[in-house]
Amino acid sequence: QVQLVESGGGLVQAGGSLRLSCAASGSIFSINVMGWYRQAPGNERELVAVISSGGSTNYADSMKGRFTISMNNAKNTVYLQMNSLKPEDTAVYYCNAEASVGSWYDRGNYWGQGTQVTVSS
């Protein structure tokens, strides 16, 4: 009942920047948390950053100071500004949302299809 569509991935050189966007749509009652996760081949999916509807944020240590997460509550859209990109940032980046559908107690986690970010040396 909630669809997440990521955009903004691509190929950049080390030190470059990208801005990812994720728009949520569907029968959304409210969104509690939105975030970004990433997964490189052979690795498990890991947290990049999350943001609550109240604006509280949390970042993985390796992303602190380089990445910034933000959310437009009115548009149900989350953004990830990525600066000073490194080759080790190469991964598929997935949007995630914890949302209530229909009513506040009908909560679930939803995932986007992912967008590829490739950082060359």
Side-chain angles (χ1 to χ4, degrees), residues 8-20 38-41 66-67 82 84-93 114-121:
L11 174 64
V12 298
Q13 294 183 344
S17 299
L18 283 174
R19 191 187 192 217
L20 306 183
R38 70 185 186 186
Q39 187 169 23
R66 298 190 299 123
F67 293 2
M82 304 186 292
S84 301
L85 284 163
K86 306 173 182 179
E88 48 263 48
D89 294 320
T90 296
V92 176
Y93 284 70
T115 184
Q116 178 71 48
V117 172
T118 303
V119 184
S120 63
S121 300

Side-chain angles (χ1 to χ4, degrees), residues 3 31 33 38 40 54 75 78-79 103 116:
Q3 296 81 46
I31 294 178
V33 180
R38 70 185 186 186
K75 296 184 177 181
V78 65
Y79 307 91
S103 62
Q116 178 71 48

Side-chain angles (χ1 to χ4, degrees), residues 61-114:
D61 289 342
S62 62
M63 269 67 79
K64 290 180 180 178
R66 298 190 299 123
F67 293 2
T68 302
I69 190 170
S70 61
M71 182 164 62
N72 186 325
N73 294 93
K75 296 184 177 181
N76 291 328
T77 301
V78 65
Y79 307 91
L80 184 69
Q81 179 66 47
M82 304 186 292
N83 299 323
S84 301
L85 284 163
K86 306 173 182 179
E88 48 263 48
D89 294 320
T90 296
V92 176
Y93 284 70
Y94 295 92
C95 179
N96 173 264
E98 180 183 296
S100 296
V101 180
S103 62
W104 70 269
Y105 55 84
D106 191 7
R107 294 172 294 175
N109 283 315
Y110 302 87
W111 293 92
Q113 296 278 5

